[in-house]
Amino acid sequence: MLTCDNPSPMTLEGTNTYILGSAQAAAVFVVDPGPSGHPEHLDAVIAATGSAEVRAILVTHRHRDHTGAAQELGERTGAPVRAFDPAHTIEGAHAAADPLHDGEELVLPGQRVIVRHTPGHTSDSVCLWLPDSAAMLTGDTILGRGTTMLDYPDGTLTDYLRTLEHLAGYSGTRMLPAHGPEHADLSGCAQEYLTHRLERLDQVRSIMETEGHDVGAARLGRLIYGEQSPLPEGVTTKIAQAQLAHLSHLGQH
């Protein structure tokens, strides 16, 4: 894991780039190469691959802090860029770039990578399951610290709750997030996220009883996170929109 120097309230210490492959591997995968404009990070990633062939560059979702450097890394290594969203796939010098699909197994000597479609943060979010090392790369679906925002309307709370229920089933699995530190227990982290989201929904229901069911998303976001929230209002409004849309899905709004 190499962390790009792009810290922010949304990226924590920066974007974590992972190089997947066994020791002295002849070929590796690079996951989430980071944003554009950070040549020192790209140089460090290429140096860390050593003499190994970069078989493919995998991105966990469409946000620019994950995809921005993908094209340049592909040009420098000849590797294709693969993503769940076909719009973010880029042909390699010697290999096609098919979109990732749920359940797909990517194989290197000594390393298997299984794609899990995990929508919620975005509709195209994937996690990457490493069954041989009992680890899951979670992208932005679960962060190493704090909680992730849902990029509504592309990402929905309805999808996200299902995703968290799915990830909670991975007991005995290490969690490798795209931002923040790793954790030893993916299942526990997913369950904590799920509990937090359900508690927030109860808070929204309580606010709607007081404010009325026509409370706007902007005001709802301020009531949940406070007028002095460190999060931009656009972010808290998106979160509130996702919550209201989920309650509508349940027939409660």
Side-chain angles (χ1 to χ4, degrees):
M1 185 189 82
L2 299 94
T3 302
C4 184
D5 186 20
N6 63 318
S8 75
M10 304 300 290
T11 61
L12 304 180
E13 292 86 356
T15 301
N16 295 331
T17 298
Y18 292 91
I19 299 171
L20 306 181
S22 60
Q24 289 80 49
V28 297
F29 296 129
V30 174
V31 181
D32 287 342
S36 61
H38 291 265
E40 71 292 341
H41 180 65
L42 217 51
D43 288 345
V45 170
I46 290 173
T49 65
S51 61
E53 171 201 357
V54 178
R55 183 72 51 82
I57 300 159
L58 313 176
V59 293
T60 58
H61 65 290
R62 60 181 175 78
H63 285 156
R64 287 177 293 179
D65 59 311
H66 299 255
T67 63
Q71 181 171 345
E72 183 178 350
L73 183 60
E75 291 170 353
R76 291 177 64 176
T77 62
V81 179
R82 299 194 60 199
F84 191 85
D85 183 348
H88 292 285
T89 60
I90 304 172
E91 299 293 308
H94 307 292
D98 296 326
L100 299 172
H101 60 266
D102 187 43
E104 178 179 2
E105 183 171 327
L106 311 173
V107 180
L108 292 174
Q111 183 72 269
R112 290 180 296 152
V113 181
I114 299 175
V115 178
R116 298 293 188 219
H117 183 214
T118 51
H121 174 64
T122 61
S123 62
D124 67 323
S125 288
V126 297
C127 291
L128 301 174
W129 165 231
L130 312 180
D132 300 319
S133 50
M136 182 81 78
L137 277 70
T138 56
D140 284 8
T141 297
I142 302 181
L143 305 180
R145 186 175 66 256
T147 59
T148 194
M149 69 160 283
L150 306 186
D151 196 357
Y152 182 84
D154 178 56
T156 73
L157 183 55
T158 304
D159 281 343
Y160 193 52
L161 293 176
R162 282 196 289 261
T163 284
L164 292 176
E165 290 172 352
H166 173 72
L167 294 178
Y170 283 84
S171 60
T173 297
R174 195 162 49 118
M175 187 189 86
L176 305 174
H179 304 287
E182 69 173 76
H183 287 270
D185 181 16
L186 169 62
S187 177
C189 289
Q191 190 58 57
E192 287 178 9
Y193 262 48
L194 188 58
T195 298
H196 170 72
R197 294 287 173 168
L198 295 176
E199 287 174 347
R200 282 292 194 203
L201 282 173
D202 285 341
Q203 185 181 3
V204 172
R205 292 184 183 100
S206 179
I207 290 172
M208 288 168 57
E209 288 179 5
T210 303
E211 296 284 324
H213 280 240
D214 59 349
V215 62
R219 176 163 173 73
L220 179 60
R222 290 193 297 271
L223 290 169
I224 293 171
Y225 294 98
E227 296 286 349
Q228 304 302 318
S229 170
L231 294 173
E233 183 168 338
V235 171
T236 60
T237 298
K238 273 193 175 186
I239 295 169
Q241 287 173 326
Q243 292 163 336
L244 292 172
H246 181 65
L247 291 177
S248 292
H249 171 77
L250 297 176
Q252 299 174 11
H253 175 57

